[in-house]
Amino acid sequence: MTNPTFPVTMNTHPKLPTFNMDEIAFGKHFTDHMLVADYENGAWKNVAIKPFAPFELDPSSAVLHYGQTIFEGIKAFKNEKGEVVIFRPDQNFIRFNTSAERMQMPTVPEWLFMDGMKQLIQLENGWVPNKPDCSLYIRPFMIATDPFLGVRPSATYKFMIILGPSGAYFSAPMKISIEQKYTRATPGGVGFAKNGGNYGASLYPVVLAQQKGYDQVLWTDALEHKYVEEVGMMNVMFVIDGKVITPSVDRGTVLKGVTRNSSIILLREMGYEVEERNLSVTEIVEAHKKGLFQEVFGVGTAAVVSYISRLAHEDYIMDFDVNALKVAPALKKQLNDIRMGNVPDTHGWLVRI
Ligand SMILES: *Cc1c(COP(=O)(O)O)cnc(C)c1O
């Protein structure tokens, strides 16, 4: 099926005409419409665009008890010409179905995920901010809806897409503590999937770190806490002796970020050597002692590139002058320039609506 047009019920009380686009905080405001689809008897049906509103769920719904729920995070941008583009949604589509398979949920077809997303964004065009660094955040997700308390894969699901305008995501440089007790992901586990439980489980260790004056944790491997994996909900990159090093995704404990992949490609084009491999905390500390540890930063859709001003391994503190960073700001600018159409999209990463 190509370019289906899903039925639309218009919101009779849209917020858009009076919505103040100057006050857009990430994740707080949603547009006037959403896409909804049901999975029943082995097929996706009832695909429709409706007014954004709460919906009913049976209290015994599987998602509320056993956590069969997955999501994606994507951004759309409006450039100076007023064109709306989505950044690499094909990659999110692939990853959504990877997550679905791991959580024993049905995959979604391209006509539902991609064409549904495009039709919804076309309808919500007025909600895409046209200011630098602002975007429309796209949140596709799926939940298990069987009204049944037995532990088994649900037979029914809901797929939905909601949208929210997102402001220039200013985040102060982060202070990070290297996690030595708790884990985000285990080999054989679900760390490579964007399923809800991963995020619920990460909150406690992060709050403990915050009580000690840090913003986030640098997750290390579950078995030995020896190798670094991710920073908060982002992939992480290190610059050591002029080389960029990012943890390998081979063990399934590091999420395959679209920003991570894009960053590796762009950094190599910018002339940097990039290694994807295991990186130990010992190697990092040794490099710091020799004065070779130059930068560490997070990469992800929400904040693009997040600077880190302090990294702590127990009592050993490594500080970075964020005004002296070279690689992170250059990467951030290149990613933003591509998304805003300031430089040619030589990789075909932008999907025009
Ligand atoms: C979503 C996510 C990322 C970043 O992925 P992007 O595709 O770049 O947004 C990294 N780590 C975790 C755990 C995530 O959930």
Side-chain angles (χ1 to χ4, degrees), residues 95 184 194 199 230 233-235 255 257-260 299-301:
R95 189 170 65 194
R184 192 197 78 85
K194 270 180 122 72
Y199 305 85
E230 297 202 57
M233 297 299 131
M234 285 178 283
N235 293 114
L255 192 118
V258 179
T259 319
R260 175 188 181 279
V299 296
T301 295

Side-chain angles (χ1 to χ4, degrees), residues 9-284:
T9 309
M10 293 301 290
N11 192 328
T12 51
H13 297 91
K15 291 176 293 181
L16 181 60
T18 57
F19 186 79
N20 181 0
M21 283 282 184
D22 293 331
E23 286 176 20
I24 42 182
F26 175 80
K28 236 177 140 175
H29 304 285
F30 301 97
T31 69
D32 290 314
H33 301 86
M34 61 185 186
L35 179 133
V36 188
D38 298 315
Y39 185 84
E40 292 162 7
N41 301 319
W44 287 103
K45 49 187 77 159
N46 310 330
V47 187
I49 292 174
K50 299 177 175 176
F52 184 95
F55 62 99
E56 283 198 342
L57 210 50
D58 192 286
S60 69
S61 293
V63 61
L64 300 176
H65 304 274
Y66 307 126
Q68 260 189 310
T69 172
I70 59 169
F71 67 92
E72 268 304 326
I74 313 168
K75 277 180 173 177
F77 303 83
K78 196 176 270 179
N79 63 25
E80 278 172 10
K81 292 180 219 147
E83 297 162 336
V84 174
V85 295
I86 319 176
F87 187 74
R88 304 192 75 183
D90 51 312
Q91 298 299 305
N92 301 89
F93 168 63
I94 293 167
R95 189 170 65 194
F96 192 73
N97 282 337
T98 302
S99 299
E101 276 171 18
R102 179 61 184 84
M103 299 308 291
Q104 194 53 47
M105 298 167 88
T107 55
V108 293
E110 196 170 341
W111 58 259
L112 173 54
F113 190 98
M114 296 294 263
D115 296 341
M117 174 166 53
K118 287 181 198 166
Q119 190 185 335
L120 181 63
I121 296 173
Q122 259 161 17
L123 178 70
E124 302 289 53
N125 185 297
W127 281 97
V128 189
N130 59 359
K131 286 190 292 183
D133 296 338
C134 295
S135 61
L136 185 71
Y137 184 77
I138 308 162
R139 169 53 62 93
F141 63 101
M142 194 199 308
I143 56 172
T145 52
D146 270 9
F148 177 60
L149 291 185
V151 181
R152 60 142 164 76
S154 184
T156 59
Y157 296 85
K158 256 187 204 306
F159 171 75
M160 304 178 64
I161 303 177
I162 57 175
L163 309 172
S166 166
Y169 193 108
F170 173 78
S171 54
M174 300 184 296
K175 293 193 181 74
I176 305 292
S177 155
I178 302 181
E179 184 57 53
Q180 290 299 303
K181 179 173 181 190
Y182 298 98
T183 56
R184 192 197 78 85
T186 54
V190 293
F192 63 88
K194 270 180 122 72
N195 76 295
N198 285 347
Y199 305 85
S202 74
L203 301 175
Y204 180 69
V206 172
V207 168
L208 291 183
Q210 286 169 350
Q211 287 166 356
K212 291 183 184 154
Y214 295 96
D215 299 298
Q216 263 295 352
V217 303
L218 179 66
W219 300 105
T220 48
D221 74 279
L223 304 180
E224 302 176 278
H225 294 291
K226 198 170 152 189
Y227 297 99
V228 298
E229 296 197 326
E230 297 202 57
V231 61
M233 297 299 131
M234 285 178 283
N235 293 114
V236 65
M237 301 205 157
F238 295 80
V239 184
I240 296 176
D241 199 13
K243 247 188 254 173
V244 181
I245 306 167
T246 193
S248 154
V249 294
D250 291 348
R251 283 192 290 193
T253 51
V254 172
L255 192 118
K256 288 186 185 173
V258 179
T259 319
R260 175 188 181 279
N261 175 267
S262 311
S263 299
I264 292 171
I265 294 169
L266 294 177
L267 286 166
R268 286 185 178 147
E269 286 176 0
M270 290 155 72
Y272 291 102
E273 199 177 318
V274 184
E275 295 178 352
E276 296 180 69
R277 63 170 171 89
N278 291 339
L279 176 63
S280 71
V281 178
T282 311
E283 182 179 342
I284 291 167

